[in-house]
Amino acid sequence: MFGIRKIYGKKYSHYEVIGILCYFSRSVKAFSASRLEEASAYESMLHGAQNGIIEFINAMREANPHLLSAVDSCHRGIFSHAVLHRKQNVFQLIHCLPGGKELFRYSIDKFGNNLLHLAAQLGPSSDRDTRPGAALQMQREIQWFKAVEKVVHPKFKEAKNGDGKKPYEILAESHEELVKDGEKWAKETATSFTIVGTLITTIMFAAAFTVPGGNNGNGLPNFLHDKRFITFLIADAFSLFTSTTSVLIFIGILTSRYAERDFLRTLPGKLWFGLLFLVLSVCSMIVAFCAAIDMILKGYKITRWLIIVPTMSLGSLPITFLVLSQLPLMYQIFHFTRKNPISRIKN
């Protein structure tokens, strides 16, 4: 029931694997260099880096730190494979090693590629699919490039590989299709929200000049001194300004240049603020609507609450649906854009 037996099976298997790993680490401590070669310990370290098995790598390096120097036939070590296969937990290990950056940031494979050249290549789809939308997937690729750029020696940023290409050139070539997909996704998303924002702006602008209760002979609103009328005016003005702001932000997304670096902060930031102002405008619109209904039914003492309570309950549904549908996307954009998660070291 509720998958408890399945969870128990996974936990039990994990417990058994940890026991086997402890046995291996104790055995590796007594192995000589030739015995390590026979036992394929170096190859196991590379496979562990390719699959992101940080527990295995930590156990082996504690048993024999020399295993971190494992390389394959292309002269690529564990951090080269971690960058190629986008294994964040393995790559972050480089920050925890004493002198790790100095030891590994100069590594070059037999094709003349340093770590930044490898980070510039398109990562596997399994890593990109962890984020919704091609634009946020491109953001992750740029974040990988920036995280590796902080690790390598500054001269490697402009270094050429065996094909005579610099890291930024490889980044532009390998991510050309992803940039196009990200541009298409961002424009489609911005267009949809622009239509919604424009509709809200039109409605709230018209509502500002057709106030509930009408005007008196002097042209002043009949409910001018009513607190609910003040609430209506404030909510209407706030909804008008926030919806207009969101439309302008989404227009800015539509007219962006969509360069590779724009996907790092500029485009996600615009999308987040556009969604934020759009959600605020919808909430303010519902508040203005409820205040208007309350003013119109002011003289009905008995049936007033029979109409207001269901109306307010139904009015909360659009807010609930909008927040539930857009809040996960807003959280992900904020979480991934606030700080590069690949450069962040997890304790």
Side-chain angles (χ1 to χ4, degrees), residues 288-316:
F289 172 76
C290 294
I293 293 295
D294 194 15
M295 281 189 295
I296 294 173
L297 299 176
K298 183 179 180 180
Y300 298 91
K301 301 296 183 181
I302 300 177
T303 60
R304 177 183 175 190
W305 292 107
L306 295 177
I307 300 176
I308 292 178
V309 172
T311 301
M312 290 186 176
S313 300
L314 293 174
S316 63

mmCIF file of all heavy atoms in Angstrom, residues 288-316:
data_model
loop_
_atom_site.group_PDB
_atom_site.id
_atom_site.type_symbol
_atom_site.label_atom_id
_atom_site.label_comp_id
_atom_site.label_asym_id
_atom_site.label_seq_id
_atom_site.Cartn_x
_atom_site.Cartn_y
_atom_site.Cartn_z
ATOM 1 N N ALA A 288 -11.194 43.834 -7.000
ATOM 2 C CA ALA A 288 -12.031 44.939 -7.491
ATOM 3 C C ALA A 288 -13.434 44.455 -7.834
ATOM 4 O O ALA A 288 -14.434 45.138 -7.560
ATOM 5 C CB ALA A 288 -11.369 45.571 -8.717
ATOM 6 N N PHE A 289 -13.530 43.276 -8.423
ATOM 7 C CA PHE A 289 -14.845 42.718 -8.778
ATOM 8 C C PHE A 289 -15.679 42.454 -7.529
ATOM 9 O O PHE A 289 -16.865 42.804 -7.470
ATOM 10 C CB PHE A 289 -14.642 41.432 -9.577
ATOM 11 C CG PHE A 289 -15.906 40.671 -9.837
ATOM 12 C CD1 PHE A 289 -16.805 41.103 -10.799
ATOM 13 C CD2 PHE A 289 -16.197 39.514 -9.122
ATOM 14 C CE1 PHE A 289 -17.974 40.399 -11.039
ATOM 15 C CE2 PHE A 289 -17.365 38.807 -9.359
ATOM 16 C CZ PHE A 289 -18.249 39.247 -10.330
ATOM 17 N N CYS A 290 -15.079 41.856 -6.511
ATOM 18 C CA CYS A 290 -15.819 41.557 -5.279
ATOM 19 C C CYS A 290 -16.247 42.841 -4.566
ATOM 20 O O CYS A 290 -17.362 42.919 -4.014
ATOM 21 C CB CYS A 290 -14.953 40.706 -4.351
ATOM 22 S SG CYS A 290 -14.603 39.045 -4.988
ATOM 23 N N ALA A 291 -15.388 43.870 -4.574
ATOM 24 C CA ALA A 291 -15.750 45.140 -3.952
ATOM 25 C C ALA A 291 -16.910 45.798 -4.693
ATOM 26 O O ALA A 291 -17.810 46.399 -4.074
ATOM 27 C CB ALA A 291 -14.531 46.070 -3.936
ATOM 28 N N ALA A 292 -16.930 45.706 -6.015
ATOM 29 C CA ALA A 292 -18.019 46.279 -6.809
ATOM 30 C C ALA A 292 -19.334 45.564 -6.523
ATOM 31 O O ALA A 292 -20.387 46.212 -6.379
ATOM 32 C CB ALA A 292 -17.668 46.192 -8.293
ATOM 33 N N ILE A 293 -19.300 44.237 -6.429
ATOM 34 C CA ILE A 293 -20.520 43.482 -6.118
ATOM 35 C C ILE A 293 -21.051 43.861 -4.740
ATOM 36 O O ILE A 293 -22.270 44.018 -4.532
ATOM 37 C CB ILE A 293 -20.235 41.966 -6.191
ATOM 38 C CG1 ILE A 293 -19.934 41.541 -7.639
ATOM 39 C CG2 ILE A 293 -21.403 41.166 -5.638
ATOM 40 C CD1 ILE A 293 -21.097 41.702 -8.585
ATOM 41 N N ASP A 294 -20.137 44.035 -3.788
ATOM 42 C CA ASP A 294 -20.551 44.391 -2.431
ATOM 43 C C ASP A 294 -21.208 45.768 -2.405
ATOM 44 O O ASP A 294 -22.186 45.998 -1.672
ATOM 45 C CB ASP A 294 -19.326 44.371 -1.517
ATOM 46 C CG ASP A 294 -19.722 44.389 -0.054
ATOM 47 O OD1 ASP A 294 -20.907 44.130 0.250
ATOM 48 O OD2 ASP A 294 -18.845 44.653 0.787
ATOM 49 N N MET A 295 -20.712 46.724 -3.190
ATOM 50 C CA MET A 295 -21.313 48.061 -3.244
ATOM 51 C C MET A 295 -22.689 48.046 -3.897
ATOM 52 O O MET A 295 -23.635 48.694 -3.437
ATOM 53 C CB MET A 295 -20.382 49.017 -4.002
ATOM 54 C CG MET A 295 -19.221 49.534 -3.196
ATOM 55 S SD MET A 295 -18.335 50.827 -4.079
ATOM 56 C CE MET A 295 -17.687 49.913 -5.462
ATOM 57 N N ILE A 296 -22.829 47.312 -4.993
ATOM 58 C CA ILE A 296 -24.095 47.273 -5.724
ATOM 59 C C ILE A 296 -25.214 46.685 -4.866
ATOM 60 O O ILE A 296 -26.370 47.125 -4.914
ATOM 61 C CB ILE A 296 -23.927 46.473 -7.027
ATOM 62 C CG1 ILE A 296 -22.974 47.217 -7.979
ATOM 63 C CG2 ILE A 296 -25.265 46.237 -7.703
ATOM 64 C CD1 ILE A 296 -22.611 46.432 -9.211
ATOM 65 N N LEU A 297 -24.869 45.685 -4.035
ATOM 66 C CA LEU A 297 -25.866 45.010 -3.201
ATOM 67 C C LEU A 297 -25.945 45.607 -1.802
ATOM 68 O O LEU A 297 -26.391 44.943 -0.858
ATOM 69 C CB LEU A 297 -25.532 43.514 -3.107
ATOM 70 C CG LEU A 297 -25.517 42.737 -4.439
ATOM 71 C CD1 LEU A 297 -25.080 41.305 -4.212
ATOM 72 C CD2 LEU A 297 -26.885 42.779 -5.091
ATOM 73 N N LYS A 298 -25.504 46.835 -1.653
ATOM 74 C CA LYS A 298 -25.455 47.467 -0.342
ATOM 75 C C LYS A 298 -26.825 47.556 0.311
ATOM 76 O O LYS A 298 -26.967 47.389 1.530
ATOM 77 C CB LYS A 298 -24.839 48.858 -0.481
ATOM 78 C CG LYS A 298 -24.677 49.592 0.841
ATOM 79 C CD LYS A 298 -24.033 50.946 0.619
ATOM 80 C CE LYS A 298 -23.858 51.688 1.939
ATOM 81 N NZ LYS A 298 -23.241 53.022 1.755
ATOM 82 N N GLY A 299 -27.878 47.815 -0.474
ATOM 83 C CA GLY A 299 -29.209 48.001 0.097
ATOM 84 C C GLY A 299 -29.957 46.714 0.379
ATOM 85 O O GLY A 299 -31.030 46.748 0.990
ATOM 86 N N TYR A 300 -29.448 45.585 -0.052
ATOM 87 C CA TYR A 300 -30.135 44.303 0.149
ATOM 88 C C TYR A 300 -29.567 43.643 1.404
ATOM 89 O O TYR A 300 -28.496 43.027 1.374
ATOM 90 C CB TYR A 300 -29.962 43.402 -1.059
ATOM 91 C CG TYR A 300 -30.563 43.974 -2.326
ATOM 92 C CD1 TYR A 300 -29.797 44.776 -3.187
ATOM 93 C CD2 TYR A 300 -31.873 43.719 -2.674
ATOM 94 C CE1 TYR A 300 -30.333 45.307 -4.343
ATOM 95 C CE2 TYR A 300 -32.435 44.241 -3.833
ATOM 96 C CZ TYR A 300 -31.643 45.037 -4.662
ATOM 97 O OH TYR A 300 -32.188 45.565 -5.798
ATOM 98 N N LYS A 301 -30.293 43.772 2.511
ATOM 99 C CA LYS A 301 -29.786 43.263 3.772
ATOM 100 C C LYS A 301 -29.877 41.739 3.872
ATOM 101 O O LYS A 301 -29.019 41.083 4.426
ATOM 102 C CB LYS A 301 -30.565 43.901 4.943
ATOM 103 C CG LYS A 301 -30.477 45.421 4.983
ATOM 104 C CD LYS A 301 -29.043 45.880 5.236
ATOM 105 C CE LYS A 301 -28.972 47.400 5.361
ATOM 106 N NZ LYS A 301 -27.582 47.871 5.589
ATOM 107 N N ILE A 302 -30.984 41.168 3.338
ATOM 108 C CA ILE A 302 -31.232 39.740 3.525
ATOM 109 C C ILE A 302 -30.501 38.911 2.472
ATOM 110 O O ILE A 302 -29.767 37.961 2.789
ATOM 111 C CB ILE A 302 -32.748 39.442 3.489
ATOM 112 C CG1 ILE A 302 -33.459 40.228 4.609
ATOM 113 C CG2 ILE A 302 -33.004 37.951 3.640
ATOM 114 C CD1 ILE A 302 -34.962 40.058 4.599
ATOM 115 N N THR A 303 -30.715 39.260 1.207
ATOM 116 C CA THR A 303 -30.156 38.446 0.126
ATOM 117 C C THR A 303 -28.721 38.832 -0.234
ATOM 118 O O THR A 303 -28.117 38.207 -1.102
ATOM 119 C CB THR A 303 -31.026 38.589 -1.136
ATOM 120 O OG1 THR A 303 -31.053 39.977 -1.531
ATOM 121 C CG2 THR A 303 -32.436 38.110 -0.870
ATOM 122 N N ARG A 304 -28.202 39.828 0.451
ATOM 123 C CA ARG A 304 -26.871 40.326 0.091
ATOM 124 C C ARG A 304 -25.804 39.248 0.243
ATOM 125 O O ARG A 304 -25.043 38.967 -0.687
ATOM 126 C CB ARG A 304 -26.539 41.526 0.979
ATOM 127 C CG ARG A 304 -25.154 42.099 0.768
ATOM 128 C CD ARG A 304 -24.924 43.231 1.760
ATOM 129 N NE ARG A 304 -23.588 43.737 1.692
ATOM 130 C CZ ARG A 304 -23.066 44.594 2.574
ATOM 131 N NH1 ARG A 304 -23.825 45.023 3.574
ATOM 132 N NH2 ARG A 304 -21.831 45.011 2.441
ATOM 133 N N TRP A 305 -25.748 38.634 1.407
ATOM 134 C CA TRP A 305 -24.695 37.639 1.658
ATOM 135 C C TRP A 305 -24.938 36.339 0.904
ATOM 136 O O TRP A 305 -23.992 35.575 0.666
ATOM 137 C CB TRP A 305 -24.579 37.367 3.164
ATOM 138 C CG TRP A 305 -24.063 38.555 3.913
ATOM 139 C CD1 TRP A 305 -24.755 39.397 4.733
ATOM 140 C CD2 TRP A 305 -22.726 39.064 3.869
ATOM 141 N NE1 TRP A 305 -23.951 40.392 5.210
ATOM 142 C CE2 TRP A 305 -22.680 40.215 4.706
ATOM 143 C CE3 TRP A 305 -21.560 38.653 3.222
ATOM 144 C CZ2 TRP A 305 -21.531 40.954 4.899
ATOM 145 C CZ3 TRP A 305 -20.404 39.389 3.413
ATOM 146 C CH2 TRP A 305 -20.381 40.528 4.235
ATOM 147 N N LEU A 306 -26.198 36.097 0.541
ATOM 148 C CA LEU A 306 -26.464 34.902 -0.258
ATOM 149 C C LEU A 306 -25.864 35.024 -1.660
ATOM 150 O O LEU A 306 -25.622 34.017 -2.338
ATOM 151 C CB LEU A 306 -27.977 34.671 -0.355
ATOM 152 C CG LEU A 306 -28.697 34.354 0.963
ATOM 153 C CD1 LEU A 306 -30.203 34.219 0.714
ATOM 154 C CD2 LEU A 306 -28.133 33.078 1.573
ATOM 155 N N ILE A 307 -25.643 36.259 -2.090
ATOM 156 C CA ILE A 307 -25.039 36.490 -3.408
ATOM 157 C C ILE A 307 -23.536 36.730 -3.292
ATOM 158 O O ILE A 307 -22.750 36.231 -4.095
ATOM 159 C CB ILE A 307 -25.716 37.694 -4.103
ATOM 160 C CG1 ILE A 307 -27.211 37.417 -4.288
ATOM 161 C CG2 ILE A 307 -25.058 37.977 -5.431
ATOM 162 C CD1 ILE A 307 -27.974 38.583 -4.880
ATOM 163 N N ILE A 308 -23.135 37.495 -2.261
ATOM 164 C CA ILE A 308 -21.722 37.878 -2.136
ATOM 165 C C ILE A 308 -20.832 36.673 -1.833
ATOM 166 O O ILE A 308 -19.767 36.504 -2.441
ATOM 167 C CB ILE A 308 -21.556 38.952 -1.043
ATOM 168 C CG1 ILE A 308 -22.198 40.259 -1.494
ATOM 169 C CG2 ILE A 308 -20.080 39.180 -0.734
ATOM 170 C CD1 ILE A 308 -22.135 41.352 -0.461
ATOM 171 N N VAL A 309 -21.264 35.820 -0.891
ATOM 172 C CA VAL A 309 -20.412 34.693 -0.487
ATOM 173 C C VAL A 309 -20.145 33.732 -1.652
ATOM 174 O O VAL A 309 -18.995 33.388 -1.922
ATOM 175 C CB VAL A 309 -21.041 33.955 0.713
ATOM 176 C CG1 VAL A 309 -20.262 32.678 1.015
ATOM 177 C CG2 VAL A 309 -21.065 34.865 1.939
ATOM 178 N N PRO A 310 -21.200 33.285 -2.398
ATOM 179 C CA PRO A 310 -20.894 32.430 -3.557
ATOM 180 C C PRO A 310 -20.066 33.146 -4.634
ATOM 181 O O PRO A 310 -19.198 32.528 -5.269
ATOM 182 C CB PRO A 310 -22.283 32.058 -4.094
ATOM 183 C CG PRO A 310 -23.200 32.247 -2.945
ATOM 184 C CD PRO A 310 -22.646 33.402 -2.185
ATOM 185 N N THR A 311 -20.334 34.452 -4.802
ATOM 186 C CA THR A 311 -19.582 35.199 -5.809
ATOM 187 C C THR A 311 -18.108 35.274 -5.454
ATOM 188 O O THR A 311 -17.235 35.070 -6.300
ATOM 189 C CB THR A 311 -20.160 36.621 -5.965
ATOM 190 O OG1 THR A 311 -21.531 36.533 -6.342
ATOM 191 C CG2 THR A 311 -19.393 37.391 -7.019
ATOM 192 N N MET A 312 -17.808 35.574 -4.196
ATOM 193 C CA MET A 312 -16.410 35.638 -3.763
ATOM 194 C C MET A 312 -15.746 34.266 -3.813
ATOM 195 O O MET A 312 -14.557 34.151 -4.124
ATOM 196 C CB MET A 312 -16.322 36.218 -2.349
ATOM 197 C CG MET A 312 -16.653 37.691 -2.265
ATOM 198 S SD MET A 312 -16.381 38.367 -0.619
ATOM 199 C CE MET A 312 -16.740 40.104 -0.903
ATOM 200 N N SER A 313 -16.520 33.233 -3.503
ATOM 201 C CA SER A 313 -15.961 31.873 -3.571
ATOM 202 C C SER A 313 -15.606 31.505 -4.997
ATOM 203 O O SER A 313 -14.531 30.954 -5.266
ATOM 204 C CB SER A 313 -16.964 30.871 -2.994
ATOM 205 O OG SER A 313 -17.264 31.175 -1.647
ATOM 206 N N LEU A 314 -16.525 31.822 -5.921
ATOM 207 C CA LEU A 314 -16.233 31.547 -7.330
ATOM 208 C C LEU A 314 -15.122 32.459 -7.844
ATOM 209 O O LEU A 314 -14.330 32.067 -8.710
ATOM 210 C CB LEU A 314 -17.498 31.730 -8.172
ATOM 211 C CG LEU A 314 -18.626 30.721 -7.932
ATOM 212 C CD1 LEU A 314 -19.859 31.113 -8.731
ATOM 213 C CD2 LEU A 314 -18.169 29.314 -8.317
ATOM 214 N N GLY A 315 -15.052 33.683 -7.313
ATOM 215 C CA GLY A 315 -14.002 34.606 -7.741
ATOM 216 C C GLY A 315 -12.617 34.166 -7.327
ATOM 217 O O GLY A 315 -11.620 34.553 -7.957
ATOM 218 N N SER A 316 -12.527 33.352 -6.270
ATOM 219 C CA SER A 316 -11.218 32.857 -5.834
ATOM 220 C C SER A 316 -10.712 31.709 -6.699
ATOM 221 O O SER A 316 -9.528 31.368 -6.645
ATOM 222 C CB SER A 316 -11.298 32.394 -4.380
ATOM 223 O OG SER A 316 -12.194 31.296 -4.250
#
